[in-house]
Amino acid sequence: QKEVEQDPGPLSVPEGAIVSLNCTYSNSAFQYFMWYRQYSRKGPELLMYTYSSGNKEDGRFTAQVDKSSKYISLFIRDSQPSDSATYLCAMYDRNTGNQFYFGTGTSLTVIP
Amino acid sequence: DAGITQSPRHKVTETGTPVTLRCHQTENHRYMYWYRQDPGHGLRLIHYSYGVKDTDKGEVSDGYSVSRSKTEDFLLTLESATSSQTSVYFCAIRATGTENTGELFFGEGSRLTVL
């Protein structure tokens, strides 16, 4: 079983839709949860970063962490064609050193 | 922008040849990482460094070596490239002050093809 599971998609939505991206994980020790956005042929860029459970909002993006269910989500409101990218979740347990665990990424296309 | 530069950005080489990829940073961050990204596998850690001459292995380190003789440079070497090492390689840094948190910043990637 992988440490982090992420549906690869692809996901295709019309412009203006609400997008929900999700990851599940198996290690209850993870404390830090990240979402990265990766455009084609580019490096991943950090989009959202959350510590422990709860919600975090940044503009049209909301990250949610439910540690009891080992489930994290990224919501994109009013999606735009510029949101078309691959979204990777990542997790980290600071007590075990430098290993970050990444999902395989979900490919999103927002259709104008 | 975390000031990360990877070189070369693209390389085609033949099986059995040595290859070195360079990651250069401009902000003296302590932690540097090399990942490879492959379809269906996501990002996998090859090696990382926590200071000059201080390095450690990641989950897919076989066939790779690294060196860090200066804070700003982290080199990844494939001693004898194989076709299974065809991949996109990303360097990442953890910004100073975030050592206990989970923020990584990535370079633009180096696309390696081994024929």
Side-chain angles (χ1 to χ4, degrees):
Chain A
Q1 181 188 8
K2 287 185 179 179
E3 294 273 1
V4 180
E5 299 279 358
Q6 184 175 9
D7 186 338
L11 189 59
S12 183
V13 302
E15 183 176 354
I18 297 174
V19 176
S20 172
L21 304 168
N22 311 292
C23 288
T24 59
Y25 62 96
S26 57
N27 187 350
S28 59
F30 290 139
Q31 308 116 344
Y32 297 92
F33 304 89
M34 287 74 66
W35 284 97
Y36 286 84
R37 178 175 61 196
Q38 186 175 22
Y39 292 114
S40 180
R41 297 185 172 265
K42 296 288 188 180
E45 58 175 323
L46 183 63
L47 193 60
M48 299 281 288
Y49 154 71
T50 310
Y51 171 70
S52 194
S53 282
N55 294 358
K56 186 173 185 178
E57 189 172 320
D58 183 2
R60 296 184 295 109
F61 298 89
T62 300
Q64 283 186 354
V65 175
D66 182 349
K67 292 194 73 178
S68 63
S69 301
K70 300 192 184 69
Y71 189 86
I72 70 169
S73 301
L74 178 70
F75 297 96
I76 307 174
R77 291 183 300 279
D78 188 25
S79 55
Q80 302 295 309
S82 59
D83 296 327
S84 298
T86 296
Y87 291 81
L88 300 98
C89 62
M91 302 173 193
Y92 173 65
D93 171 15
R94 72 178 181 185
N95 295 316
T96 58
N98 285 279
Q99 183 67 46
F100 290 74
Y101 294 89
F102 287 85
T104 52
T106 299
S107 175
L108 171 68
T109 301
V110 181
I111 302 167
Chain B
D1 182 0
I4 305 171
T5 304
Q6 291 185 229
S7 60
R9 294 290 313 280
H10 301 273
K11 187 172 181 65
V12 179
T13 192
E14 295 189 349
T15 298
T17 59
V19 176
T20 295
L21 305 179
R22 179 182 183 236
C23 179
H24 178 78
Q25 58 146 327
T26 59
E27 299 181 6
N28 292 321
H29 297 302
R30 181 180 171 193
Y31 290 89
M32 299 183 75
Y33 304 78
W34 276 108
Y35 285 87
R36 60 178 289 175
Q37 187 176 39
D38 304 286
H41 291 279
L43 285 159
R44 293 182 291 175
L45 181 65
I46 305 171
H47 282 278
Y48 66 95
S49 170
Y50 45 97
V52 173
K53 298 193 189 318
D54 291 323
T55 64
D56 207 347
K57 296 179 180 180
E59 63 176 309
V60 290
S61 60
D62 287 348
Y64 301 94
S65 62
V66 290
S67 66
R68 192 161 177 207
S69 58
K70 298 184 291 184
T71 300
E72 59 265 35
D73 288 326
F74 191 30
L75 304 180
L76 177 70
T77 296
L78 292 66
E79 301 290 347
S80 178
T82 68
S83 58
S84 64
Q85 293 175 312
T86 292
S87 186
V88 182
Y89 292 86
F90 287 101
C91 175
I93 61 100
R94 190 187 301 188
T96 301
T98 68
E99 290 86 350
N100 290 323
T101 61
E103 299 160 272
L104 285 178
F105 297 91
F106 287 85
E108 291 290 275
S110 294
R111 188 172 296 269
L112 176 67
T113 302
V114 183
L115 301 175

